[in-house]
Amino acid sequence: MAPTAKAAKQEKKPDDKKKSSKPRNYDLGNGVMRFSRTRMYHKKALYKFMGKKVKATKKPAKPAFVTKQIGGDKNGKERKVFLKKRRNYYPTQDKIRKHPAKKTFKQHKRHLRSTLTPGTVCILLAGSHKGKRVVFLKQLHSGLLLVTGPMQINSCPLRRISQRYVIGTQTKIDVSGVKIPETINDEYFRRKREKRAKKEEGDIFQAKKEAYKVSDQRKADQKVVDKQVFEAIKKHPDRKVLLAYLSAMFGLRSSQYPHRMQF
């Protein structure tokens, strides 16, 4: 038998509409919402609830005690019994609580951004070498980053810098074969400050501050590390472009904003 018209209509009913993942009002981009505040005011029918005040319901207070009848002429006939019994013992002095000891800077955990991995080409934003592109080698115990130019490409030596003053790019170099000497640590970069000499007779302006001089050990370590990094750059498929990229300085022109760029 052919199905009736009523049964055919029931079969043709569409399935329940799937709920969309987006909310009713969402961001269209650049902070512009789909509906304005006035439109949402009417859509949610908030005007129905404006000016209405609901009286707060007061809960009945629980009695603190209950009166009980007591037999006997000399017992007062009734007695008040507290529902919540009081403690039998109250300490005369508060217990001394042990406060956790403050952790020193050495005990703090060191975190590293996920975009910064060994071999990442970074842009320096502070210091005397700001604007240069360098190669990130490893994170030291203090949390600072160990980077190098290399020296023969952009004159940036081995140095430490905080990850706050660095932009990590998507350009990577395979530095798995680079072996950094164990002596290169936080103590390696610490400046040696000599004690002031005692005041002597004569002109106080005669003593001049000695300018910083690079030690022979640093020069030797720089050559060892740069040689390995330079070999890793040569193995890169776009080595010619990479050498020009590392030697070029970073800068911004008018109407260029770093937060809108993809490095």
Side-chain angles (χ1 to χ4, degrees):
M1 290 177 70
T4 59
K6 191 175 182 181
K9 282 183 181 179
Q10 289 178 354
E11 288 177 2
K12 289 180 181 179
K13 277 187 178 179
D15 298 330
D16 295 331
K17 291 182 180 179
K18 294 181 180 179
K19 292 183 179 179
S20 60
S21 58
K22 287 185 179 180
R24 184 189 293 179
N25 196 14
Y26 54 87
D27 192 356
L28 296 173
N30 298 328
V32 180
M33 302 301 291
R34 184 187 175 199
F35 298 120
S36 64
R37 290 176 67 183
T38 310
R39 189 82 178 275
M40 289 303 296
Y41 178 82
H42 290 284
K43 275 186 172 291
K44 291 183 178 180
L46 296 175
Y47 51 84
K48 293 181 179 180
F49 306 99
M50 296 298 290
K52 288 187 177 181
K53 292 182 180 180
V54 181
K55 292 182 179 179
T57 56
K58 291 184 178 180
K59 293 182 180 180
K62 292 181 180 180
F65 55 85
V66 178
T67 55
K68 289 189 177 181
Q69 300 296 328
I70 297 171
D73 298 333
K74 297 180 180 180
N75 290 333
K77 296 183 180 180
E78 61 181 25
R79 189 172 294 169
K80 292 179 180 180
V81 180
F82 285 93
L83 294 174
K84 190 175 181 181
K85 292 184 178 180
R86 294 174 179 174
R87 290 191 294 173
N88 295 329
Y89 169 74
Y90 288 91
T92 56
Q93 189 178 0
D94 294 334
K95 289 183 179 180
I96 299 170
R97 294 181 181 179
K98 289 184 179 180
H99 296 284
K102 289 184 178 180
K103 287 187 177 181
T104 57
F105 180 72
K106 292 179 182 178
Q107 296 172 325
H108 291 178
K109 287 184 180 180
R110 311 299 178 200
H111 300 283
L112 188 65
R113 293 207 305 263
S114 58
T115 54
L116 296 175
T117 55
T120 304
V121 176
C122 304
I123 300 168
L124 303 183
L125 302 176
S128 56
H129 297 278
K130 61 184 174 183
K132 292 183 180 180
R133 295 178 173 91
V134 294
V135 181
F136 167 52
L137 299 175
K138 69 172 185 177
Q139 188 181 28
L140 300 173
H141 179 70
S142 62
L144 299 175
L145 310 181
L146 178 65
V147 297
T148 184
M151 186 80 173
Q152 56 185 342
I153 295 176
N154 54 20
S155 303
C156 183
L158 280 166
R159 61 187 291 108
R160 298 180 299 171
I161 190 166
S162 173
Q163 57 183 324
R164 292 182 178 183
Y165 308 114
V166 154
I167 295 175
T169 64
Q170 294 180 355
T171 309
K172 308 279 183 183
I173 299 169
D174 186 14
V175 293
S176 56
V178 177
K179 293 182 179 179
I180 302 166
E182 294 181 359
T183 54
I184 300 177
N185 49 26
D186 291 301
E187 195 66 31
Y188 180 83
F189 291 97
R190 190 166 290 175
R191 290 280 184 93
K192 292 180 180 178
R193 301 190 182 278
E194 296 179 356
K195 292 182 179 179
R196 288 182 179 179
K198 292 182 180 179
K199 290 182 179 180
E200 297 177 357
E201 293 182 1
D203 191 5
I204 58 173
F205 299 104
Q206 284 181 358
K208 294 182 179 179
K209 290 183 180 179
E210 293 185 2
Y212 171 73
K213 292 181 181 179
V214 183
S215 62
D216 296 333
Q217 180 65 33
R218 276 218 185 182
K219 291 178 181 178
D221 291 338
Q222 185 72 50
K223 288 180 181 178
V224 170
V225 175
D226 278 5
K227 186 179 179 182
Q228 298 178 70
V229 175
F230 199 73
E231 287 176 359
I233 293 169
K234 283 183 177 179
K235 291 177 184 177
H236 198 274
D238 299 326
R239 55 184 176 275
K240 289 184 179 179
V241 179
L242 188 59
L243 287 169
Y245 180 69
L246 288 169
S247 60
M249 293 283 286
F250 172 75
L252 294 172
R253 295 180 181 177
S254 61
S255 69
Q256 286 183 341
Y257 306 101
H259 62 279
R260 291 183 181 177
M261 293 181 178
Q262 190 174 2
F263 294 94

